[in-house]
Amino acid sequence: MPSTRAPHIFFNSSPVNSPEVWRAALTRQLGDLRFTVGPDCADPDTVDVALVLRPPPQGLAAFAQLRAVIALSAGVNQFSADMLPAGVPLSRAVDPSLAEHMVSYAKAAVYRYHRRFDLFERQSRAGVWRFEAAKLNRETTIGLLGLGELGSAIALALVADGFSVEGWSRSPRTLDGVRTHAGDAGLQAMLPRMDLLINVLPLTEATTGILSSALFARCREGACIVNMGRGRHLVEDDLLSALASGRIAAATLDVTQVEPLPADHAFWGHPGVLITPHVAGIIQPESAAQQVAENIRRAMRGEALLNRVDLAKGY
Amino acid sequence: MPSTRAPHIFFNSSPVNSPEVWRAALTRQLGDLRFTVGPDCADPDTVDVALVLRPPPQGLAAFAQLRAVIALSAGVNQFSADMLPAGVPLSRAVDPSLAEHMVSYAKAAVYRYHRRFDLFERQSRAGVWRFEAAKLNRETTIGLLGLGELGSAIALALVADGFSVEGWSRSPRTLDGVRTHAGDAGLQAMLPRMDLLINVLPLTEATTGILSSALFARCREGACIVNMGRGRHLVEDDLLSALASGRIAAATLDVTQVEPLPADHAFWGHPGVLITPHVAGIIQPESAAQQVAENIRRAMRGEALLNRVDLAKGY
C-alpha cells in the first residue's frame, strides 16, 4: 500500500555502525523520518523498514506492518526465511565504496605475503637481516574463491597489478584476464597452482566449512590463505593443523567463528596468523545512504526493492 | 678503439648478485667472453669492462685498459670520479623489471599502513580485537621524495590505485594526477599534508641526511616514513627521536647506514620500525642482461654508452 507519511525506521545497534551517522545521512536523503534505535522498540507495529546488521534478539515477528528489511552487510547469512514476517522482502544495502574497501584490504594482505613483509616483521623483531630475492607480481598466482561483485572487483584489481589470477565460483563466470573455474572439479583443478587463496564466497550450506583439511590438502605446500568471507567458511582446527604441518604457511583472517575472537583462542599470538578485527568491508552511511533511501522510498510506495536477496540461494 | 675479440669482463662479487647467473645471461647475449669474478683479478690490465655493485677494495686504478664501468644498481653514490681511471665512463645497468619491483615494494609498505596491518600485527600478538573503521584510498595522502624513473613509476601506480599523491623533486616535474613541488620551498609546503612519505631520491651531497629532525618537524603528527633510497638519506638518531615523540608513527626501512644492520642497533625490535633487508629493487640478470650486453658491445666498439652517469650530478 503506497504511503506519503514520514517513514518509521527501526535501526538495530551494532558495534560497527553509528545510529546517529545513519540517522543524519538518511535525513539528508529523505527529509522527515522517525528513527528508532534498537534493540528495543516500543511500538514495533508502526515500523515500516528495519535497517539491521543483525536482527534484534527478539526477532522481527512483532513488526506487524513491516514493508522491508534492509541488511547492512554484503553477506546475509545472519538471516533465514523464518526470521522475516511472511511476505516481507529482504534487500541488501549497497555501498559503492565497499568494493574499494575490499580491494584495498585484499591488496594489503596479498602484498604483505608477496613481498615477504610477514617474514621481515618477524626478522625485525628477532634482529635478523637475511637477503631474499623478490618475485615479480606475475610470478605469484592468486586464487579467488567467489566471483560475485566483490570477488570480481578484487580479481580484476589484482590482474591490473600484474598478478596471475584465477577464480572459482559455483556457476561458470568469465572475467577478463582471469582463468575461471566452476563446480567441484574446477576447484580441485585450480587449488594446486595457487600461492595464495582469497575467500569472498557467500556463506551458504554448500560453502560452510569449505576451508577445511580436504581443501588444504589440495593446496600447494606453503600456500597462504586470506579469509574475507565469513568465520564459518573456515574450520579453525583444520587451519591450525595445516599451519602446524607447513601445508599452509600463513593466514590472514578478517572474520572468525566467534567475533570478537575469544581471548584464549589459539589464533592469538600464532606466528602464522594475522587477525584483523572484521575491517575488510563495512557498509558506511556516507556512501550507502542514497541506495538505502531509494529502497525506503520504494518500500513506502509498495514498489519492488533494489538488490533484493534470494534467501533460498543465500545471496 | 674498436675491437672484435671476446670481451674480458671483471665482475665484483656482492651478497645479492650471483656471478654464475650473470655469466650465463651475458654469454647468451654476447657469445664468447672472458669472465673474471672479483674481488681479486690476476691481470687487471686486460679487463675491458668492470661490472660492479661496489668497486673492489683495491679500486680500479690497476685496470689500465678499462673501457667502461657498469654499475649494478639504480643509485650510484658508491662511485666517485676519482675512483674511475681517467676518461672511463660509468653507466648504469637498466633493468626493465626494477620499476615493477619498486612499485610492488612501495605498495606493500603503503597498504600495510593504510589498512593498519602494522597495528593489527601487534594486536594479533597481544590478543587484542578492536574494530577500527578503514579509510578509502583517496583519504590517504602519499608524498614521493624523488620523481625520477622509479619515483614517477611509484607515484603513478599509487594514483591509479586512487591514493592522493604528491611529489617533490629538485627541479620542477609534471606528472599526470600528481601534485608536484620543487625546491626547498616546495618541500616545506608539501610535508605538512602527507600521511606517508616515500623516499626514492638519489643520494647526493644535497640529499644526504634529508630525512632529519628538521624534516620530521614539518610532517603531520603521526606520519609514516618509507625509505627505499639509501641509508645515508636518513639521520637514524633523528628518526628514533621522532618515533619516541610520536611525531613519526612508524617507518619501513629497506636501507640503513650500515648494511646488514648491526645486531645491537636500536631499530631491531623497535615496535615502530620494519626493517627489510635491501630487497625493494635489485638489478636482476634475467631482465637486465640485454641492456648490459648492449653497453659492453658499445664499449668494445668505442661507442658512447647508454644510461651514462653524470657523477657531478650524482645520477
Side-chain angles (χ1 to χ4, degrees):
Chain A
M1 83 207 96
S3 169
T4 53
R5 63 176 171 76
H8 181 188
I9 296 164
F10 171 77
F11 182 95
N12 198 27
S13 297
S14 88
V16 301
N17 285 300
S18 157
E20 288 320 308
V21 181
W22 272 102
R23 185 205 304 263
L26 288 176
T27 301
R28 275 194 297 276
Q29 295 287 330
L30 295 166
D32 213 21
L33 51 82
R34 192 175 155 209
F35 196 85
T36 300
V37 178
D40 298 323
C41 184
D43 47 356
D45 56 356
T46 69
V47 168
D48 298 297
V49 174
L51 194 57
V52 297
L53 180 60
R54 288 187 184 77
Q58 73 277 19
L60 295 165
F63 294 68
Q65 303 297 321
L66 207 57
R67 296 158 184 268
V69 177
I70 298 177
L72 289 179
S73 58
V76 291
N77 55 284
Q78 67 273 40
F79 294 94
S80 58
D82 58 7
M83 229 175 241
L84 302 172
V88 175
L90 174 66
S91 93
R92 288 185 300 111
V94 171
D95 181 344
S97 297
L98 182 64
E100 194 182 327
H101 277 299
M102 296 287 275
V103 165
S104 119
Y105 181 97
K107 286 196 180 181
V110 163
Y111 278 103
R112 179 166 173 271
Y113 291 132
H114 172 63
R115 291 306 301 243
R116 308 307 320 271
F117 275 31
D118 59 327
L119 173 68
F120 299 144
E121 285 153 18
R122 288 195 297 276
Q123 295 187 350
S124 289
R125 294 197 298 279
V128 174
W129 176 291
R130 191 181 297 136
F131 176 75
E132 172 144 349
K135 290 198 293 179
L136 290 168
N137 291 4
R138 64 172 172 272
E139 295 170 322
T140 288
T141 305
I142 301 166
L144 265 295
L145 299 178
L147 292 173
E149 220 174 294
L150 300 175
S152 298
I154 294 169
L156 293 174
L158 293 173
V159 166
D161 275 14
F163 290 101
S164 299
V165 182
E166 305 198 14
W168 177 78
S169 50
R170 198 182 57 151
S171 40
R173 293 286 309 264
T174 58
L175 213 53
D176 253 17
V178 179
R179 187 168 167 186
T180 58
H181 310 265
D184 190 55
L187 181 60
Q188 299 305 315
M190 179 180 91
L191 288 174
R193 279 190 302 277
M194 299 304 107
D195 295 307
L196 201 150
L197 266 187
I198 301 177
N199 174 50
V200 283
L201 286 164
L203 186 68
T204 65
E205 218 171 292
T207 65
T208 296
I210 190 172
L211 301 173
S212 66
S213 292
L215 181 142
F216 300 145
R218 287 288 295 173
C219 287
R220 172 178 284 188
E221 182 88 20
C224 297
I225 304 289
V226 178
N227 191 10
M228 306 172 64
R230 286 286 178 259
R232 289 201 285 134
H233 281 127
L234 172 66
V235 183
E236 297 183 342
D237 284 339
D238 287 5
L239 176 61
L240 287 168
S241 302
L243 287 165
S245 74
R247 164 63 53 184
I248 300 299
T252 300
L253 307 176
D254 190 49
V255 288
T256 50
Q257 293 266 355
V258 179
E259 295 178 15
L261 187 66
D264 60 351
H265 199 288
F267 286 160
W268 289 128
H270 192 299
V273 177
L274 176 66
I275 298 292
T276 64
H278 207 141
V279 296
I282 294 293
I283 307 270
Q284 305 274 16
E286 294 79 2
S287 33
Q290 194 177 354
Q291 180 261 7
V292 169
E294 174 59 21
N295 262 342
I296 292 171
R297 274 187 220 105
R298 286 171 176 242
M300 296 306 287
R301 293 194 300 250
E303 296 172 10
L305 301 186
L306 304 170
N307 306 98
R308 188 162 169 186
V309 172
D310 178 349
L311 278 174
K313 284 164 72 182
Y315 53 91
Chain B
M1 84 211 90
S3 168
T4 53
R5 66 178 168 74
H8 182 188
I9 296 165
F10 171 77
F11 182 94
N12 198 28
S13 297
S14 89
V16 301
N17 285 300
S18 156
E20 287 322 307
V21 181
W22 272 101
R23 185 206 302 263
L26 289 176
T27 301
R28 275 194 298 278
Q29 295 287 331
L30 295 167
D32 212 23
L33 50 82
R34 190 172 158 211
F35 196 87
T36 299
V37 178
D40 299 321
C41 183
D43 46 356
D45 56 357
T46 68
V47 169
D48 297 298
V49 175
L51 194 57
V52 297
L53 180 61
R54 288 187 185 77
Q58 73 275 21
L60 295 166
F63 293 68
Q65 302 298 319
L66 207 56
R67 295 158 185 267
V69 177
I70 298 177
L72 289 179
S73 58
V76 292
N77 56 284
Q78 67 273 41
F79 294 95
S80 58
D82 58 8
M83 231 176 239
L84 301 173
V88 174
L90 173 66
S91 92
R92 287 184 301 112
V94 171
D95 182 344
S97 296
L98 182 64
E100 195 182 328
H101 276 299
M102 296 287 276
V103 165
S104 120
Y105 181 96
K107 286 196 181 182
V110 163
Y111 278 102
R112 179 167 173 270
Y113 291 131
H114 173 62
R115 292 306 300 245
R116 307 307 320 272
F117 275 32
D118 59 326
L119 173 68
F120 300 144
E121 285 153 17
R122 289 196 296 276
Q123 294 188 351
S124 288
R125 293 197 298 278
V128 174
W129 177 289
R130 191 182 297 135
F131 176 76
E132 171 144 349
K135 290 198 293 180
L136 290 168
N137 291 5
R138 66 172 170 271
E139 295 169 321
T140 288
T141 304
I142 300 166
L144 265 296
L145 299 179
L147 291 174
E149 220 174 295
L150 300 174
S152 298
I154 294 169
L156 293 174
L158 294 173
V159 166
D161 275 13
F163 290 100
S164 298
V165 182
E166 306 198 14
W168 177 78
S169 51
R170 198 181 58 150
S171 39
R173 291 287 310 266
T174 58
L175 213 52
D176 254 15
V178 179
R179 186 169 167 187
T180 57
H181 310 265
D184 189 57
L187 181 60
Q188 300 305 315
M190 178 179 90
L191 288 174
R193 280 189 302 276
M194 300 303 107
D195 295 307
L196 202 151
L197 266 186
I198 301 177
N199 174 49
V200 283
L201 285 164
L203 186 68
T204 65
E205 215 170 296
T207 66
T208 296
I210 190 171
L211 301 173
S212 65
S213 292
L215 181 141
F216 301 145
R218 286 289 294 173
C219 286
R220 171 179 285 189
E221 182 89 21
C224 297
I225 303 289
V226 178
N227 191 10
M228 305 172 63
R230 286 285 178 259
R232 289 200 285 135
H233 282 126
L234 172 66
V235 183
E236 298 184 342
D237 283 339
D238 287 4
L239 176 61
L240 288 167
S241 302
L243 288 165
S245 74
R247 164 65 52 184
I248 299 299
T252 299
L253 306 177
D254 190 50
V255 288
T256 50
Q257 293 266 355
V258 179
E259 294 178 16
L261 186 67
D264 60 352
H265 199 287
F267 286 159
W268 289 126
H270 192 297
V273 177
L274 176 66
I275 297 292
T276 65
H278 206 140
V279 296
I282 293 294
I283 306 271
Q284 305 276 15
E286 294 79 0
S287 33
Q290 195 177 356
Q291 181 262 7
V292 169
E294 174 59 21
N295 262 343
I296 293 171
R297 273 188 220 104
R298 286 172 177 242
M300 295 307 286
R301 292 194 299 250
E303 295 171 11
L305 301 187
L306 304 171
N307 305 101
R308 187 162 171 187
V309 173
D310 177 349
L311 278 174
K313 283 164 71 183
Y315 52 90

